[in-house]
Amino acid sequence: MHLNEFIVHFIDVFNIYHLKFLQVQTLLALYICGICGIFKIQYKKLHMNRILTLLIVFFVLFSCDNVKKTTSEGSISEHKTEKSDTEEPTFGLVIHGGAGTILKKNMSDSLENAYKQKLEEAIRVGHEILKNGGTAMEAVTKTINIMEDSPLFNAGKGAVFTHEETNELDASVMDGATLNAGAVTGVTRIKNPIDLALEVMNNSPHVMLAGEGAEIFAQEKGFELVDPYYFYTENRFQSLQRVKQKESNSISSSSSSTFDPYIKDSKFGTVGCAALDKNGNLAAGTSTGGMTNKRWNRIGDAPIIGAGTYANNATCAVSSTGWGEYFIRAMVAHDISAMMEYKGVSLKEAAKEVIQEKVPNLGGNGGIVAIDKDGNVTMEFNTAGMYRAHMNAEGELVIGIYKD
Amino acid sequence: MHLNEFIVHFIDVFNIYHLKFLQVQTLLALYICGICGIFKIQYKKLHMNRILTLLIVFFVLFSCDNVKKTTSEGSISEHKTEKSDTEEPTFGLVIHGGAGTILKKNMSDSLENAYKQKLEEAIRVGHEILKNGGTAMEAVTKTINIMEDSPLFNAGKGAVFTHEETNELDASVMDGATLNAGAVTGVTRIKNPIDLALEVMNNSPHVMLAGEGAEIFAQEKGFELVDPYYFYTENRFQSLQRVKQKESNSISSSSSSTFDPYIKDSKFGTVGCAALDKNGNLAAGTSTGGMTNKRWNRIGDAPIIGAGTYANNATCAVSSTGWGEYFIRAMVAHDISAMMEYKGVSLKEAAKEVIQEKVPNLGGNGGIVAIDKDGNVTMEFNTAGMYRAHMNAEGELVIGIYKD
């Protein structure tokens, strides 16, 4: 084996084991010095050339370090953005309107356009706030408001129906700067649940309030309660009837019929937003009507901090959409952040591992949108489609529905 | 430097860098072989003795590994248990009955004995199950049942009162083998909420059910609903009256008065258990009445997977107790697991960082009990006391109340 070959092989072995090179170099230096020491004790007559050769090997290895750093893929340096002091602070936001079996063949052009227009309208609202120096949290909540007010999405006005033909809404927000959070679940008279989640965060000693209690809190804080009929939309009501029809035709248990793949379309859908503001603060929020035909006051992942929503200035801001039960069990939003924090991987790598491996391995599906502290954005999903959009500091807009 | 000194120094350096010894040995072998190769190319005349000496150094290093494992403190090897094929599989469990301002000076001998006796009774139930080959989940739920049925703890029979003078109970369980989970929140007629959380996990398509819906589910599954008056205990009712009295005397907002340090005693308290069974499966569970004087159907950390309860066979099982809002925001239970999984630290190190640094930095307090996949146990808290006990495979029992 030639010296060069040996060195390359040696570097590869260390790479496999994810060792940091500077540490390895220090260890090698100590090791070589030690070996030299032993040699000196045991072979006092050896020429100094031997020691020099060993030292040369060490310095050659040292010089390989920088070369390797710039060529290796997926290394920790990948997600760092170089910023000069004079550069404008970056900002950006990313949204989703739900993930599921969204296929081009099932979608009319006019419906597709309606979705795209609403996604663009929503993201432009948040972008304008960020551009003008507003907070990430303001951008997140105002952007989500637009989607909550649209019957296109399963949140606010377009919320799906429960088994009892009611609409029970969930929402949560998290502030990456303070790690403060707010959430509401099972509210039936709150027009914009994301606003109530924010109110819980800002003006209550609690993080999470449920049902009637959350609505009493809302009233105390001056929220106007809407008639539950506000949430009635013919489309969603018909979806429930179809699901119930299928359920009554089916001999299978409620457990399996609730998750019939054929009707997945009408069950998923949540809206969410993750944003980075000019001050380097991250925030995330998620709002949903839950799952069509849900029963027993079921709580999904959307109002669960760490599952549906997570933000931490040290890492990233994440909003989830998908089969909530699996997103809770996989702690999707927090797991992506933890992987970045403790494993040193990029947002993209962390999101990919969680959404393409961990969640499907449990049997679940869905997706996330996320933005990291440097403004890098990821929109990862393992379903046929996910309504999504992002916009960066330069105003570049990306809108997507299907898998590319 | 003598050979022995060099080896010890070398091992220390590797320990500092948290490298796994087997990996290091493999790398050393490759490295030494490489060095030998270079030597052979450059010094073809060298005697074979040199190579033999190097190989001996390698094998001496190998033999040092086990010695180091048993003596190093806080290193990654700390939580590894060496098992021979013939050895009985290890098992164990750890419980808590709540953390808070528990001070010896405020506690009568008879009350202290009552707590110790109940903790011992509970842990022996779980230990017997594990000893006889039962599952970790069975041990967790049956152990918690004992504490739920005792008025000493803020769970089941001893649940604290809400602002509206009701008792709203929360509970959750998680199975480390499947990452399956179940939780209920805001139930008022379920004698043992931990059993209903288990039922949600095993026999519903959902992870989390709330309030009346959860109770309808319970009835459908054959649970007997108790009269809400079952949860009335004079002590807890008087605690609520004292808190309300303080609140009405106070000019401060509801936000601060709800968390007056003087009355912390009566607010905290939760029961929980984490267990490892003979099959190497982990499970955790938590049950609580929440926080005295809680309002608006507040949900704390106990029923939140990842905050109050988390179990993963790859890492550990954790049950939390403390100021729930901060435990949700810090994602306490999942963060400990993630730190072990991604950072490679021991359970003890991870728990210490989360409970002694992360949670207090947010302004919260409380504690956790946890057991890892090798049977190592930790009981970490940052309050004056935590009712706690653990028992290992050898039947060694440790019971504690105050800080040691």
Side-chain angles (χ1 to χ4, degrees), chain A residues 131-335:
Chain A
K131 202 172 117 184
N132 295 327
T135 66
M137 185 56 85
E138 195 188 345
V140 163
T141 51
K142 299 291 184 210
T143 301
I144 288 176
N145 285 164
I146 303 291
M147 294 190 280
E148 283 179 331
D149 292 345
S150 160
L152 290 172
F153 305 101
N154 174 18
K157 177 68 187 166
V160 298
F161 281 84
T162 68
H163 187 73
E164 293 79 18
E165 306 190 347
T166 60
N167 308 93
E168 291 177 3
L169 297 95
D170 303 329
S172 63
V173 292
M174 188 158 183
D175 176 359
T178 58
L179 301 184
N180 209 347
V184 292
T185 176
V187 294
T188 60
R189 296 186 292 162
I190 306 296
K191 184 169 172 277
N192 292 105
I194 201 78
D195 294 349
L196 186 55
L198 182 65
E199 188 72 20
V200 170
M201 179 181 108
N202 287 335
N203 297 309
S204 92
H206 300 309
V207 166
M208 191 171 187
L209 302 181
E212 277 177 47
E215 288 169 2
I216 294 169
F217 170 78
Q219 270 182 306
E220 287 180 16
K221 297 296 174 185
F223 275 67
E224 193 193 330
L225 300 196
V226 296
D227 187 308
Y229 188 73
Y230 165 79
F231 298 106
Y232 183 90
T233 53
E234 190 58 26
N235 270 344
R236 300 296 190 192
F237 190 73
Q238 291 310 324
S239 287
L240 175 69
Q241 303 314 318
R242 284 198 299 276
V243 172
K244 283 189 165 182
Q245 186 62 42
K246 256 200 100 61
E247 196 175 70
S248 67
N249 291 347
S250 164
I251 52 156
S252 64
S253 74
S254 67
S255 156
S256 61
S257 68
T258 311
F259 299 107
D260 191 308
Y262 181 74
I263 46 172
K264 240 177 211 171
D265 278 359
S266 56
K267 309 184 127 296
F268 281 12
T270 291
V271 306
C273 179
L276 170 71
D277 65 28
K278 286 185 176 177
N279 290 318
N281 289 323
L282 291 164
T286 310
S287 181
T288 188
M291 195 173 259
T292 303
N293 200 30
K294 68 182 180 183
R295 307 176 186 195
W296 309 306
N297 302 122
R298 171 255 191 191
I299 301 177
D301 65 318
I304 305 289
I305 299 304
T309 299
Y310 190 75
N312 187 335
N313 273 7
T315 53
C316 62
V318 185
S319 171
S320 309
T321 172
W323 196 335
E325 277 68 16
Y326 293 94
F327 277 59
I328 293 176
R329 291 167 55 192
M331 277 283 108
V332 165
H334 183 259
D335 202 29

Side-chain angles (χ1 to χ4, degrees), chain B residues 320-342:
Chain B
S320 309
T321 172
W323 196 336
E325 276 69 17
Y326 293 95
F327 277 60
I328 293 176
R329 291 168 54 193
M331 277 282 108
V332 165
H334 183 258
D335 202 30
I336 291 170
S337 168
M339 220 178 267
M340 289 177 70
E341 185 175 355
Y342 303 134

Side-chain angles (χ1 to χ4, degrees), chain A residues 92-96 123 272-275 317 369-371 377-379 389-391:
Chain A
L93 78 167
V94 57
I95 62 174
H96 67 76
I123 206 156
C273 179
V369 296
I371 186 164
V377 158
T378 195
M379 304 182 288
H390 79 82
M391 208 165 174

Side-chain angles (χ1 to χ4, degrees), chain B residues 109-120:
Chain B
D109 285 350
S110 63
L111 189 59
E112 189 179 307
N113 282 335
Y115 272 110
K116 285 184 174 173
Q117 277 171 20
K118 194 51 81 172
L119 287 167
E120 181 169 348

Side-chain angles (χ1 to χ4, degrees), chain B residues 96-98 115 118 143-161 167-172 187 190-194 230-233 236 266-273 285-291 294 302 320-321:
Chain B
H96 67 76
Y115 272 110
K118 194 51 81 172
T143 300
I144 288 176
N145 285 163
I146 302 291
M147 293 189 282
E148 282 179 332
D149 292 345
S150 160
L152 289 172
F153 305 101
N154 174 17
K157 177 68 187 166
V160 297
F161 281 84
N167 307 94
E168 291 177 2
L169 298 94
D170 303 330
S172 63
V187 294
I190 306 295
K191 185 170 172 274
N192 293 106
I194 200 79
Y230 165 78
F231 298 106
Y232 183 91
T233 53
R236 300 297 190 191
S266 56
K267 309 184 128 294
F268 281 11
T270 290
V271 305
C273 179
T286 310
S287 182
T288 190
M291 196 173 257
K294 68 182 180 183
S320 309
T321 172

